[in-house]
Amino acid sequence: MILVRGIRSSSKVMYFTNLFPIAVLLLLLAYSSVKYGLSVWYASSNLYFSPTQEKASELPSWEIWADAASQVLFTLGHMFGGIITLASYNDLRQNTLRTALYIVLWDTALSFLFGCLVFISLSKLTTVSNVGIDVLLNTTHTDSVEVVFTAYPAFLAEVDSPIWFVLFFLMIFTLGIDSLIGLVETVTTALFDNFTRLRNRYFPNVCAVIYVMFILGLPMCTSTGFELVEFMHSHTCNLTLPLLGISHTVLFCYVFGFDDLMTIIRQELRVTIPKSIEWYLRLALKYISPVAFFDWRLLLRPTQDFLPAYLREHSNRPDMYILADY
């Protein structure tokens, strides 16, 4: 029903799906300060923000920067086509530079809030179990989302009122709805632009796309669904997103031309770009981004190393042979 009128109805819902998770995270952070005390807050802040010798020793590693680039591409979602699709509905005079800056700042703030809550929960777990944070993280698959599924349930186990469970569920639900709106809009826009006759039956076709996505998502709800999610994550995010990022930067900056792009933004969109911002964009898009997106592990690592940790550890099982060989 959110997409019944296309972007006219979904855009209004996305205001709520973007603001509600921020409000819930702020409430959870405030509750944690009262529940755990400031000592846990300080400990979690030191774990999250304070530089250490161990962290500094990992900075020269190329894998750290490649993983960071993949994470940025995943959280922003612009390589999935959602932002480009939604931006196509903007007015021609929309200040795209300002909008892009708002999107990046909003995504960064949301990521920091999620990270703060995760490390607060991990700090509390280290206090209760009397083990270090490194030992606690080594008990889970640190290259997967299992850390989040360890931290948040541990946090919710400490709450006193069931209202927090409801708020947390609604937060996860709205985040999922927000992601699906962009994904469905991307697929349906591509279909309607290439097959214009489908626009005559807009709502049934949108329902058909959602139904197909629902069927494709059912295997992830089975007993081995988590391993399937990790397997797809390792092949869609760690491999394809950096390649798509390189393709976008090369096409816009070298094939189309960075100077021509800036000219169109100034003349057609009538957006004023200061010289300092233009030089920053030139340096970031033409030189830094292609190097950051390129993952040398694509050339240096064997194929099986791209499997998620769970499949690598169980690749000797007979039912894992096909996945390991893949």
Side-chain angles (χ1 to χ4, degrees):
M1 298 304 295
I2 296 175
L3 298 170
V4 64
R5 298 180 60 194
I7 195 65
R8 288 175 294 180
S9 58
S10 61
S11 60
K12 297 179 176 61
V13 176
M14 292 181 72
Y15 281 107
F16 174 78
T17 58
N18 279 276
L19 295 175
F20 182 75
I22 294 288
V24 174
L25 284 175
L26 292 176
L27 289 175
L28 290 174
L29 286 173
Y31 178 81
S32 65
S33 65
V34 177
K35 181 69 176 180
Y36 296 152
L38 294 179
S39 60
V40 176
W41 261 53
Y42 292 146
S44 64
S45 299
N46 290 331
L47 288 173
Y48 194 25
F49 297 107
S50 298
T52 61
Q53 185 176 1
E54 183 179 358
K55 294 178 181 178
S57 63
E58 296 178 354
L59 288 179
S61 174
W62 188 264
E63 292 189 358
I64 296 296
W65 296 100
D67 290 336
S70 299
Q71 181 64 23
V72 169
L73 292 175
F74 179 77
T75 55
L76 283 175
H78 52 295
M79 291 299 107
F80 295 106
I83 293 181
I84 298 176
T85 301
L86 296 176
S88 65
Y89 294 101
N90 283 333
D91 185 78
L92 184 61
R93 306 306 180 191
Q94 176 75 22
N95 192 328
T96 54
L97 183 63
R98 181 180 59 191
T99 304
L101 180 62
Y102 287 164
I103 292 174
V104 172
L105 293 177
W106 188 263
D107 175 77
T108 304
L110 190 61
S111 299
F112 268 114
L113 285 177
F114 268 105
C116 287
L117 200 57
V118 167
F119 273 84
I120 288 174
S121 179
L122 292 177
S123 299
K124 181 62 176 179
L125 287 176
T126 57
T127 304
V128 174
S129 57
N130 293 323
V131 297
I133 186 67
D134 296 332
V135 177
L136 182 63
L137 291 177
N138 287 334
T139 59
T140 61
H141 305 307
T142 55
D143 60 342
S144 68
V145 296
E146 193 168 343
V147 173
V148 176
F149 285 99
T150 301
Y152 280 104
F155 177 82
L156 293 175
E158 299 286 335
V159 301
D160 301 325
S161 175
I163 188 62
W164 296 106
F165 293 94
V166 177
L167 289 176
F168 183 79
F169 171 79
L170 291 177
M171 180 187 71
I172 298 298
F173 180 76
T174 53
L175 286 173
I177 290 295
D178 186 63
S179 301
L180 283 177
I181 289 175
L183 181 60
V184 174
E185 283 286 352
T186 302
V187 176
T188 54
T189 300
L191 289 175
F192 294 149
D193 287 347
N194 288 277
F195 306 99
T196 55
R197 291 184 179 181
L198 295 178
R199 296 180 182 177
N200 298 328
R201 299 180 60 84
Y202 177 85
F203 187 67
N205 289 314
V206 171
C207 292
V209 171
I210 296 175
Y211 180 75
V212 171
M213 291 182 177
F214 173 76
I215 297 298
L216 294 176
L218 286 180
M220 302 180 190
C221 300
T222 60
S223 58
T224 58
F226 187 80
E227 288 74 36
L228 180 60
V229 170
E230 281 211 335
F231 180 77
M232 297 182 63
H233 174 79
S234 62
H235 285 75
T236 57
C237 297
N238 295 341
L239 297 180
T240 58
L241 290 185
L243 293 178
L244 287 173
I246 294 175
S247 301
H248 279 214
T249 53
V250 169
L251 287 174
F252 278 110
C253 297
Y254 294 99
V255 178
F256 183 78
F258 179 82
D259 294 330
D260 294 335
L261 179 63
M262 292 295 103
T263 301
I264 290 177
I265 293 177
R266 287 196 183 93
Q267 297 180 358
E268 301 295 334
L269 303 182
R270 297 181 181 178
V271 176
T272 302
I273 303 178
K275 281 294 182 181
S276 57
I277 300 297
E278 181 179 350
W279 278 106
Y280 167 76
L281 292 176
R282 183 187 299 273
L283 179 64
L285 293 177
K286 295 188 67 174
Y287 306 108
I288 297 178
S289 295
V291 175
F293 290 155
F294 186 77
D295 193 348
W296 292 97
R297 295 172 297 180
L298 299 176
L299 303 177
L300 301 179
R301 292 199 309 176
T303 304
Q304 188 170 344
D305 285 352
F306 290 113
L307 292 173
Y310 179 88
L311 296 181
R312 290 199 300 268
E313 295 172 1
H314 297 80
S315 59
N316 58 341
R317 286 171 43 184
D319 56 337
M320 291 293 180
Y321 283 164
I322 298 178
L323 292 178
D325 292 338
Y326 180 82

